Amino acid sequence: MKNISFKIYNSVSELPRNWDEVSHPNHFLQTPYLNVLEKSAPTNMECFFIGIFEDHELIGTSLAQYLDLNKLESFGERDNCFKTKIRNFVFKNFASHVLFLGNNMITGQNGYTFNKEIDFESVNNVMMQCTEAIIEYFKKKKIRIHIVSYKDFYNECSAELKKFDFGKMYEFTAQPNMIFYLDKNWKTKDDYFQSFSKKYRDQYKRAHKKFDGIEVRELSTEEVIHFESELYQLYYYVAKNAPFNTFFLDKHHFSTFKKQCGNRFRICGYFLEGKLVGFHTLLLNGEVLETYFLGYDEMLQKENMLYLNMLYNMTEFGIENGFKKIIFGRTALEIKSSIGAEPIKMSGFIFHTNKFINKYIGKIFDSLEPEVSWHQRHPFK
C-alpha cells in the first residue's frame, strides 16, 4: 500500500473523531478503554495512541506502552530463588526501560486494528517507523529504551510478519493463551455441566459444595467505588504472588474502568458474611468475553475453592449470554484446561537496542523466562 502514514497521540482528547468507528472490532482500542489507560494506568507506564492513515484517511489504530521497571518495588515474589534474584538484577540494570508495541496488560492480539484489508508489509513498515519515533521521543528526554517488544501474535500473523523486519528479531513464545471456544449447543450452565465426563462432573460438584455460603453478585459503579480499597488489596495479593510482573495497577483502576465502560465492564464480588473476599472482572468485547484481573483472600481461596468457582462462573456467564469464546489468558494453565479452555500458542518479537546484548537476546530471554510445567486436562466426554 502507498501513502501510509501515522501520527502518535499522547492524549485521548487529541484523537480523530472517527477513532472508535475504525477501532470497532476491538474494545481495547476504543476510547472508553484508552481513557482508562490515560486516567489510571500503572504508575510506571506511559501510553501512546497511534493513528494510521492512508493519504489523510484514518484506516487503523494502534497502542504502544513504555514501562519504567526502575519504579517497581517487586517483579513478583512467588518464586523466591537464586534464579529469580538474577533475573531481577538483569531487568533492573539492562532492561529497565521497555517499549511495547501492543498492550502489555492483557493477553491476545490487541496491538492494532484496521477497518480495511492491509498487507503485512505495510503493517511491518508502520510498526518499525512508530518504534523509531517513540525511541527518539525518549532519547530527547535523556531516556534510552533498552528493549522493544511486539506482542501478541497468532501463528498466521507472526509467520507473515517474519517475511519482513520482524524476521530479524528474536521470536519468543511464552505461556499459551488459554481460550475456551464455547459449544454453540450450550444454552445453560446445565448443558455445560452435562458435557463433562464423570471425573469433571465430580470436580464441579465438589467445588460448588465447598463454595456454599459465599454470595456472588455483580457490583454497581457505586459499589465498586465503595469497595475500591478492598478490591485493590485482593488484586494486589494475587499480583504480588505471581511469578513475574512488569507493573501493578493504579489503586483507582477498577472504579475508573467501571465509570468509563459501564455495562461492558463487569465486576462480580464474592462475599462471606457480608465481607468482600474475592472478585473477578470481565470485559464484553463483541462476541468475545475477555477475562481481566481478579483477586481473592488467600485462606478462603484454599478452603472454598474460590478460584475454580470463579472460572466456572465466568464460563457460565459466557454461555448464558451467547459469547463464542472466552479469553482466559496465560496464568494457571492446568486448572483452566480442567474447565474446558485450550492452549493457543502466541508469539512475540523482541530486540535489545544494544547490538552486543541483542546478539544473545534469545539465550538471555530463555534463561530468564519462568519455567512452567503443566498437564493439559480434557474434561469433556
Side-chain angles (χ1 to χ4, degrees):
M1 298 182 72
K2 296 181 179 179
N3 301 321
I4 298 293
S5 61
F6 67 91
K7 185 174 181 180
I8 299 174
Y9 303 90
N10 297 95
S11 173
V12 176
S13 63
E14 301 171 356
L15 301 181
R17 290 183 181 179
N18 62 333
W19 182 279
D20 284 346
E21 182 182 340
V22 174
S23 302
H24 177 71
N26 194 315
H27 188 79
F28 287 114
L29 287 167
Q30 295 173 28
T31 55
Y33 177 74
L34 300 185
N35 268 313
V36 176
L37 292 183
E38 184 172 350
K39 296 174 185 296
S40 66
T43 54
N44 67 325
M45 178 182 287
E46 183 176 350
C47 295
F48 301 88
F49 316 120
I50 303 166
I52 302 166
F53 299 84
E54 183 180 27
D55 294 321
H56 299 292
E57 177 191 358
L58 183 70
I59 62 166
T61 61
S62 186
L63 174 69
Q65 296 172 332
Y66 160 72
L67 285 172
D68 182 355
L69 302 187
N70 289 308
K71 294 182 178 180
L72 281 185
E73 294 180 11
S74 167
F75 290 108
E77 298 181 358
R78 190 187 72 184
D79 302 331
N80 187 18
C81 60
F82 181 71
K83 181 176 178 180
T84 301
K85 291 181 172 64
I86 293 295
R87 182 190 68 201
N88 292 352
F89 174 81
V90 170
F91 271 94
K92 282 283 189 181
N93 291 277
F94 302 103
S96 57
H97 299 293
V98 185
L99 175 63
F100 287 94
L101 273 293
N103 193 332
N104 189 46
M105 297 174 67
I106 53 177
T107 302
Q109 194 165 303
N110 298 295
Y112 60 81
T113 191
F114 293 91
N115 67 353
K116 62 184 295 183
E117 288 292 324
I118 183 168
D119 59 88
F120 281 98
E121 184 175 9
S122 295
V123 174
N124 170 89
N125 292 344
V126 76
M127 289 295 104
M128 296 304 109
Q129 292 168 26
C130 288
T131 301
E132 292 174 9
I134 298 174
I135 288 175
E136 185 62 27
Y137 165 85
F138 281 104
K139 188 176 180 180
K140 290 177 180 178
K141 297 175 68 173
K142 309 298 183 184
I143 295 173
R144 178 177 179 175
I145 297 294
H146 293 131
I147 284 180
V148 178
S149 179
Y150 305 83
K151 67 176 294 283
D152 293 309
F153 299 99
Y154 293 111
N155 286 345
E156 59 271 23
C157 290
S158 60
E160 290 296 325
L161 289 169
K162 281 190 290 185
K163 296 175 182 178
F164 308 103
D165 293 279
F166 282 83
K168 302 172 187 175
M169 301 177 211
Y170 177 68
E171 182 181 14
F172 64 91
T173 55
Q175 298 177 35
N177 188 4
M178 299 302 290
I179 301 179
F180 198 161
Y181 296 93
L182 300 176
D183 190 320
K184 63 182 180 181
N185 296 313
W186 294 341
K187 305 301 180 185
T188 67
K189 63 182 180 181
D190 189 59
D191 294 334
Y192 170 57
F193 172 75
Q194 294 300 332
S195 298
F196 285 130
S197 64
K198 183 181 183 304
K199 175 181 177 180
Y200 291 95
R201 284 201 303 272
D202 290 344
Q203 174 183 281
Y204 182 97
K205 289 187 284 189
R206 184 169 64 254
H208 279 65
K209 187 176 181 180
K210 289 274 190 178
F211 198 59
D212 189 42
I214 293 180
E215 175 197 0
V216 184
R217 71 170 189 266
E218 186 175 335
L219 303 182
S220 66
T221 303
E222 292 73 24
E223 287 178 306
V224 173
I225 295 169
H226 175 75
F227 289 110
E228 188 153 59
S229 177
E230 292 94 328
L231 289 167
Y232 188 81
Q233 288 304 316
L234 293 167
Y235 148 77
Y236 188 71
Y237 166 77
V238 174
K240 198 170 183 180
N241 285 279
F244 184 64
N245 278 305
T246 55
F247 65 87
F248 290 96
L249 294 177
D250 179 85
K251 292 184 178 180
H252 303 291
H253 186 79
F254 297 112
S255 63
T256 303
F257 207 144
K258 185 63 179 172
K259 285 185 281 189
Q260 288 293 324
C261 298
N263 284 334
R264 294 187 70 178
F265 182 60
R266 308 293 180 93
I267 302 183
C268 286
Y270 292 67
F271 294 86
L272 182 62
E273 297 177 353
K275 180 184 177 184
L276 183 69
V277 295
F279 74 95
H280 75 250
T281 58
L282 296 166
L283 182 70
L284 286 56
N285 194 5
E287 296 179 331
V288 179
L289 186 62
E290 307 264 2
T291 65
Y292 200 56
F293 294 96
L294 55 75
Y296 49 69
D297 180 287
E298 177 189 17
M299 298 307 295
L300 289 170
Q301 142 60 13
K302 295 177 181 177
E303 180 66 25
N304 298 89
M305 300 177 74
L306 274 182
Y307 184 67
L308 181 56
N309 278 292
M310 287 179 181
L311 295 178
Y312 286 134
N313 290 342
M314 290 186 276
T315 298
E316 290 164 5
F317 179 90
I319 292 168
E320 293 172 352
N321 288 276
F323 288 92
K324 289 189 175 181
K325 64 181 178 180
I326 305 174
I327 308 295
F328 276 111
R330 287 200 161 94
T331 58
L333 308 179
E334 192 159 330
I335 193 171
K336 287 174 180 174
S337 73
S338 80
I339 61 104
E342 302 174 12
I344 304 299
K345 179 183 175 183
M346 300 197 78
S347 60
F349 299 87
I350 190 171
F351 72 87
H352 200 288
T353 56
N354 181 301
K355 292 182 179 180
F356 176 77
I357 296 176
N358 193 55
K359 286 183 179 180
Y360 304 98
I361 191 68
K363 291 182 179 179
I364 295 170
F365 184 91
D366 291 342
S367 67
L368 298 177
E369 174 69 9
E371 295 178 9
V372 177
S373 177
W374 70 288
H375 298 285
Q376 184 178 354
R377 304 302 179 182
H378 303 278
F380 300 116
K381 295 174 185 176

